[in-house]
Amino acid sequence: MAKGATKIGKGVVNPAAGNFRRAHGAATMPALPEGEGDTPDVGARLRAFRTMHGLSQRELAKRAGVTNGTISLIEQNRVSPSLGSLKKVLDGFPISLADFLTLELKPRSKVFYQAKELREIASGPISFRLVGRDTQGRAIQMMHERYAPGADTGDDMLSHIGEESGIVVSGMIELTVGGETRKLMPGDAYYFDSRLPHRFRNPGTIDCVIVSACCPPSF
Amino acid sequence: MAKGATKIGKGVVNPAAGNFRRAHGAATMPALPEGEGDTPDVGARLRAFRTMHGLSQRELAKRAGVTNGTISLIEQNRVSPSLGSLKKVLDGFPISLADFLTLELKPRSKVFYQAKELREIASGPISFRLVGRDTQGRAIQMMHERYAPGADTGDDMLSHIGEESGIVVSGMIELTVGGETRKLMPGDAYYFDSRLPHRFRNPGTIDCVIVSACCPPSF
DNA sequence: GCCGCATGTCGAGTATTTTAAACGTTATGG
DNA sequence: CCATAACGTTTAAAATACTCGACATGCGGC
């Protein structure tokens, strides 16, 4: 292709169905009606995955050994990446090619809760304030954490197991989960799937105390 | 690429590790050590899968809407196909891209048994001759079948459940399983995973009687 | 408001994949 | 024995993916 004939004018190719174009031999495709399988929108998948890890196109590109332009084009579904490229890109974070293609990409359930949203499940001199509406289908173990000013866990890689929840007791914590960042004040809380990349940082000037809970579905 | 500079002289790229070459920006790849994920030898995978379906490169190519050359190159790992191409190719038979990449590609277990290989598990006036050495780990239900001369089941698509076994009682049957074809004579038998595409044909001039068994692990 | 920095997109050039056609081989008939 | 057909492989040309550099925008600090 010399120059002018770029088939790509501006518009996205086929964002919905996820089938790639390739208007070639005019009258090909005899047997199957095309569009059998899945390959649901690799572009959106990659973008979601990347942002969930808090990476920019350039950062990911550097990690993966490709250029940012490539990432951009792929995410726009302007190209159908070769397995080699896609593999390199995915090596940027811990997931296999097959897993990436299977990934659920589900609408994120409620993650952040305001102090007033916690549910009181005890009474009298003791107060148990429950995080999350539906206790059923959840699995938790609590912990007590303290963050000095400036403390930072750094990004966590997917741990692929369990869930995580916590309540800020004192101080302030900046929590990033799956690309969303939020500053939580005393009384606020969080609840998310541990597989989502997450990060705790104390941007304040005093210690931050959190009652947190983590992991395995032990009961 | 004009012409002469074909990087591909003759040899296969990297049949073992399954990582694709792309000797480009010289000193790229900073973060991860490359070779994290899998992508195990797409070429061999495709070839195995194709032959198991009894398709030639050209047949598959026609179904998929690509050229036979493409199939050839992919199977030799001379290229790293784009998702679009690979998807088109896989649309040729009923499997998803992710499933294809996950596929086990296990060393086929024993499929064909000679008459003398059947194990007698009864005695006296009654004779139960068992197909397959290890009854454990198998799940069977028997049937009685008869094939008129020329009868042909045609190719079966993957049924994704259970196993299948049978013994030829009289006549002759030509059985194709996962790309291998064999003519079975009276007393001979078969045992295979139903997910493998298979086909029965009676090339003889007399009826063929088979005692067969199929499917679900019911006991 | 302006600057510096980061981000995502675009255009042109290069590298790679895919096509189309031909080759060498093997099997099947006549 | 030759013709025919089918198969997998190969090669140059066409089409696509990828790189490199530049652009426009957005954001935070000063």
Side-chain angles (χ1 to χ4, degrees):
Chain A
M1 177 182 302
K3 50 168 39 181
T6 323
K7 64 142 198 333
I8 304 163
K10 181 75 172 184
V12 170
V13 175
N14 190 344
N19 289 319
F20 302 102
R21 79 259 148 281
R22 177 93 31 108
H24 216 62
T28 37
M29 183 211 314
L32 296 190
E34 176 82 3
E36 267 285 54
D38 42 335
T39 313
D41 199 358
V42 173
R45 262 193 150 66
L46 179 57
R47 174 157 301 183
F49 215 67
R50 175 176 60 78
T51 55
M52 284 175 63
H53 281 259
L55 294 177
S56 70
Q57 291 184 342
R58 282 179 164 81
E59 287 172 329
L60 174 55
K62 199 169 62 175
R63 283 208 205 189
V66 300
T67 61
N68 58 307
T70 302
I71 308 280
S72 178
L73 293 175
I74 293 178
E75 292 189 350
Q76 295 172 79
N77 281 328
R78 299 263 299 268
V79 299
S80 173
S82 74
L83 281 190
S85 320
L86 189 52
K87 180 183 180 331
K88 284 206 300 191
V89 169
L90 291 182
D91 280 347
F93 22 57
I95 190 175
S96 78
L97 229 164
D99 285 348
F100 172 78
L101 292 173
T102 313
L103 235 200
E104 258 302 327
L105 215 52
K106 50 198 154 198
R108 168 167 28 210
S109 59
K110 188 167 179 54
V111 171
F112 302 100
Y113 296 83
Q114 293 186 301
K116 63 182 178 184
E117 290 183 88
L118 302 190
R119 189 156 63 115
E120 179 63 58
I121 61 170
S123 59
I126 303 176
S127 175
F128 284 141
R129 295 171 55 79
L130 191 58
V131 178
R133 279 302 175 198
D134 43 354
T135 8
Q136 291 303 47
R138 298 199 163 172
I140 289 293
Q141 278 177 326
M142 303 298 274
M143 281 195 303
H144 196 231
E145 299 180 8
R146 174 181 296 271
Y147 292 87
D152 188 336
T153 63
D155 299 60
D156 265 3
M157 288 286 96
L158 305 190
S159 60
H160 266 282
I161 270 191
E163 304 171 42
E164 224 166 311
S165 180
I167 303 175
V168 177
V169 172
S170 65
M172 174 171 66
I173 198 77
E174 183 192 70
L175 171 56
T176 303
V177 178
E180 254 184 279
T181 299
R182 199 90 148 234
K183 284 189 177 60
L184 298 179
M185 312 302 284
D188 292 345
Y190 59 86
Y191 192 115
F192 58 88
D193 191 320
S194 297
R195 290 173 299 184
L196 295 172
H198 48 281
R199 170 182 206 164
F200 291 87
R201 194 173 73 88
N202 181 355
T205 55
I206 62 171
D207 283 2
C208 174
V209 176
I210 300 180
V211 175
S212 79
C214 65
C215 276
S218 47
F219 60 92
Chain B
M1 176 182 301
K3 48 168 42 181
T6 323
K7 63 136 198 337
I8 303 163
K10 182 74 174 183
V12 170
V13 176
N14 188 344
N19 288 320
F20 301 103
R21 79 259 147 281
R22 176 89 36 103
H24 215 60
T28 37
M29 184 212 314
L32 296 189
E34 175 82 4
E36 269 285 51
D38 42 336
T39 314
D41 198 359
V42 174
R45 265 192 147 66
L46 179 57
R47 174 157 301 183
F49 214 69
R50 175 176 61 80
T51 56
M52 283 175 62
H53 281 258
L55 294 177
S56 72
Q57 290 183 345
R58 281 170 220 271
E59 287 172 329
L60 175 54
K62 199 170 60 176
R63 280 209 208 188
V66 301
T67 62
N68 59 308
T70 301
I71 309 280
S72 178
L73 293 174
I74 293 177
E75 291 188 352
Q76 294 172 80
N77 281 326
R78 298 262 301 267
V79 299
S80 173
S82 74
L83 279 191
S85 320
L86 189 51
K87 181 184 180 331
K88 285 207 298 192
V89 169
L90 291 183
D91 280 347
F93 21 56
I95 190 176
S96 78
L97 229 165
D99 284 349
F100 172 77
L101 293 173
T102 313
L103 234 200
E104 258 300 326
L105 215 56
K106 50 198 154 200
R108 169 166 29 209
S109 57
K110 188 169 178 53
V111 171
F112 302 100
Y113 296 84
Q114 293 187 299
K116 63 182 179 185
E117 289 182 88
L118 302 190
R119 187 157 65 116
E120 178 65 58
I121 60 171
S123 60
I126 302 175
S127 174
F128 285 142
R129 297 170 52 80
L130 192 57
V131 179
R133 278 301 175 199
D134 42 354
T135 10
Q136 291 303 47
R138 298 199 163 171
I140 289 292
Q141 278 179 324
M142 304 297 274
M143 281 195 302
H144 195 232
E145 299 180 7
R146 172 181 297 272
Y147 291 85
D152 189 334
T153 64
D155 298 60
D156 264 3
M157 289 287 97
L158 305 191
S159 61
H160 265 282
I161 269 191
E163 303 171 42
E164 222 165 313
S165 180
I167 304 175
V168 177
V169 172
S170 65
M172 173 171 65
I173 198 77
E174 182 192 70
L175 171 56
T176 303
V177 177
E180 253 184 283
T181 298
R182 199 91 147 233
K183 284 188 178 59
L184 298 179
M185 311 303 283
D188 291 344
Y190 60 86
Y191 191 115
F192 58 87
D193 191 320
S194 296
R195 289 174 300 185
L196 295 173
H198 48 281
R199 169 183 205 162
F200 291 87
R201 195 172 73 87
N202 182 356
T205 56
I206 62 170
D207 283 2
C208 174
V209 176
I210 301 179
V211 175
S212 80
C214 63
C215 276
S218 48
F219 59 93

